[in-house]
Amino acid sequence: MQRPPAEVRYADELARLRETDRGERPPGWALSLQAARTFITGDPAAGISRKFVGDPSLIDRSLVTLATSRGLMLVGEPGTAKSLLSELLAAAVSGDSTLVIQGGAATTEDQIKYSWNYALLVAEGPTPRSLVSAPLLRGMAEGRVVRFEEITRCPLEVQDCLLSPLSDRVLAIPELPGDDGLVFARDGFTVIATANTRDRGVNEMSAALKRRFNFETVFPIPDLATELDLVQTQATELLLRSGVRVPPRRDVLEVLVTTFRELRDGVTERGDSMERLSAVMSTAEAVSVAHAVGLRGWFLRGEAGDAGDIVACLAGTAAKDNADDLARLRHYLQQQARARPGAQWQALHAARNLLPG
Ligand SMILES: Nc1ncnc2c1ncn2[C@@H]1O[C@H](COP(=O)(O)OP(=O)(O)OP(=O)(O)O)[C@@H](O)[C@H]1O
Ligand SMILES: [Mg+2]
C-alpha cells in the first residue's frame, strides 16, 4: 500500500494507548479524550509520535466538539493538514478513518447516504439486502466518525442532506417499509468536514448547516524551526520508503523551507517585503519538494540532493503555468538568494538558470 490509513500506520500506538487508557470515554469512543490528544500531539516518553504540529488547544477543542452533538468543520489555507487532522481524529475516536466522502461539483446524495444494488432491486424490490450503504449511513448505523472532505465544493442542496442526520440524528430511507425506513444514529457518530479558503469559501454553505458545525481554523506553522523539523522528519520518512538510502541534508532543507516561507508570506526573514507567489506554497508542498530533491540527488547522482535540485523541483510547484509567478521566482533567486551567506544559498543562486523559459 502506498499510504495506509492512520489506524493501520499507527496500529501499535493505538493498541498501546487503548491498553493504558484509564480516562473516561464518551459513549461510542475508542479512546478517552486525553488518550486521543496524546495520539495526535505525541508523547515521546510513551513512544507515541507527534503527528500533527500545531496548537494543542485546537486538538482539545476539536475533541470536545466531537463529543457533543455538533459536527466539526476544519477550515484553513490549502496544505495546512486539515485532511490529516481529520484522519487522525477519526482514527483516534472511532479506530477507523476510512468513512470518507470526497466533496466535489459532481457529488450526489447517493454517494453520501445510500444507493441500490440494481440487480437485487429489480429482483426483490427495495429491501435491506438491496440497499448499498454510503459513508453517512454506515457512520450512523455503526456509531463512527464520517469525514466529509472539501464540503464547500459540493452543491448546496447536496450539503444540506447532512441537516437531519446532524440535528435529529436520524436518516430516512423512504423506499424501505416499516422500521427499516428509519436509521437512528448510534453513539460515536459524528461528522468532521474540511474546507479550504482558496476554493469556494465557507460562505457557500447554508446558514442552517453552518449552525450545526463548530468551526476551527487550522493555521500554517508559525515558526521556521518547527516547520523545518517537520519537513525533515516527513521527507526522511518518504525518502526511505522510496528506496533512497541517504537522509536529506539539513542545510539544504533550511534553504528550502526558508524559500517557501518567504515566497508564501511575501516578507524575508530580515523583514523586507517582497512579492509573494499566487501559487500555494504550504508545508505540504515543502515536504513534497524536499522528497523530490532527495530523489533527484540519489537516483541521478547517488548522493543527497542539493540546492541546485531545489531549483529544478521548484518550477513545477511554485510557478505551475503562471508566468508572473515564474518571474517572481526568478527575481527571488537572483536578488534574495545572492545576498544570503552560506554555500547552499550560493548554490541556489547559481542554479537559477535551471528555471524554464
Ligand atoms: N501542522 C502540520 N502538522 C503535520 N503535518 C503537516 C502540517 N502542516 C502540513 N503538514 C504536511 O502537509 C500534509 C498536509 O496535507 P493535507 O492534505 O492534510 O492538507 P489540507 O489542509 O487538507 O490541504 P487541502 O486544503 O489542499 O486539502 C501532511 O500530510 C503533512 O505532510
Ligand atoms: Mg484536504
Side-chain angles (χ1 to χ4, degrees):
M1 255 189 278
Q2 282 201 324
R3 187 176 181 282
E7 61 277 14
V8 176
R9 266 181 293 153
Y10 304 112
D12 309 350
E13 293 188 14
L14 284 170
R16 224 169 320 129
L17 280 167
R18 258 192 299 273
E19 253 165 51
T20 52
D21 189 8
R22 303 275 170 276
E24 292 285 334
R25 296 179 195 179
W29 281 40
L31 292 175
S32 68
L33 266 73
Q34 294 94 315
R37 185 217 289 132
T38 307
F39 175 67
I40 294 168
T41 59
D43 177 1
I48 307 294
S49 60
R50 175 157 82 158
K51 300 168 193 69
F52 174 79
V53 178
D55 181 7
S57 68
L58 163 70
I59 311 295
D60 284 342
R61 286 195 306 272
S62 301
L63 287 166
V64 169
T65 296
L66 294 178
T68 68
S69 56
R70 295 170 77 93
L72 171 67
M73 168 71 82
L74 299 171
V75 295
E77 294 264 309
T80 44
K82 300 176 296 297
S83 302
L84 175 70
L85 182 56
S86 116
E87 180 186 358
L88 293 170
L89 286 165
V93 169
S94 304
D96 177 2
S97 62
T98 60
L99 291 181
V100 185
I101 302 157
Q102 182 61 53
T107 306
T108 58
E109 282 199 27
D110 288 8
Q111 295 161 354
I112 299 175
K113 302 202 293 197
Y114 60 88
S115 57
W116 301 95
N117 174 324
Y118 286 104
L120 283 171
L121 188 65
V122 170
E124 57 189 46
T127 60
R129 219 161 70 95
S130 52
L131 185 74
V132 180
S133 307
L136 184 65
L137 183 59
R138 283 191 51 200
M140 294 178 74
E142 298 168 17
R144 290 196 278 146
V145 174
V146 176
R147 299 170 48 205
F148 203 141
E149 287 287 307
E150 307 290 347
I151 188 170
T152 47
R153 296 179 57 201
C154 294
L156 276 182
E157 317 77 71
V158 175
Q159 295 175 21
D160 279 349
C161 71
L162 286 180
L163 282 175
S164 81
L166 278 177
S167 45
D168 310 327
R169 306 269 142 183
V170 63
L171 182 69
I173 307 177
E175 297 90 336
L176 289 182
D179 288 348
D180 291 331
L182 285 179
V183 176
F184 294 94
R186 307 245 317 247
D187 284 335
F189 162 71
T190 183
V191 176
I192 306 178
T194 65
N196 88 49
T197 43
R198 285 252 187 151
D199 293 341
R200 300 201 314 168
V202 279
N203 32 3
E204 305 274 336
M205 206 176 165
S206 68
L209 189 56
K210 269 192 208 164
R211 269 193 48 232
R212 283 155 178 91
F213 280 99
N214 279 354
F215 282 59
E216 290 291 348
T217 304
V218 184
F219 292 101
I221 300 173
D223 65 304
L224 174 73
T226 314
E227 188 170 3
L228 182 54
D229 286 344
L230 177 85
V231 172
Q232 184 168 24
T233 317
Q234 298 200 346
T236 306
E237 207 175 289
L238 289 171
L239 286 168
L240 265 179
R241 261 196 273 149
S242 315
V244 176
R245 294 201 301 276
V246 288
R249 290 175 51 162
R250 178 82 175 184
D251 57 350
V252 173
L253 290 184
E254 192 170 338
V255 167
L256 189 158
V257 175
T258 307
T259 302
F260 265 75
R261 294 175 65 87
E262 296 188 346
L263 291 170
R264 174 197 313 158
D265 300 337
V267 275
T268 67
E269 269 178 323
R270 297 205 317 250
D272 302 333
S273 66
M274 48 174 259
E275 273 195 285
R276 78 171 76 200
L277 297 193
S278 64
V280 175
M281 299 292 284
S282 71
T283 311
E285 269 73 34
V287 170
S288 87
V289 170
H291 184 196
V293 165
L295 286 177
R296 260 182 81 90
W298 179 250
F299 290 114
L300 294 184
R301 302 187 305 275
E303 58 190 37
D306 58 27
D309 296 310
I310 299 182
V311 178
C313 299
L314 209 51
T317 309
K320 307 233 190 268
D321 55 353
N322 181 329
D324 292 343
D325 273 357
L326 193 59
R328 288 182 196 119
L329 186 58
R330 184 167 292 122
H331 185 258
Y332 181 84
L333 297 178
Q334 236 149 31
Q335 303 299 321
Q336 297 293 342
R338 189 178 55 184
R340 312 288 165 97
Q344 292 303 328
W345 280 110
Q346 294 316 310
L348 192 75
H349 174 67
R352 65 191 181 283
N353 51 0
L354 292 180
L355 284 183

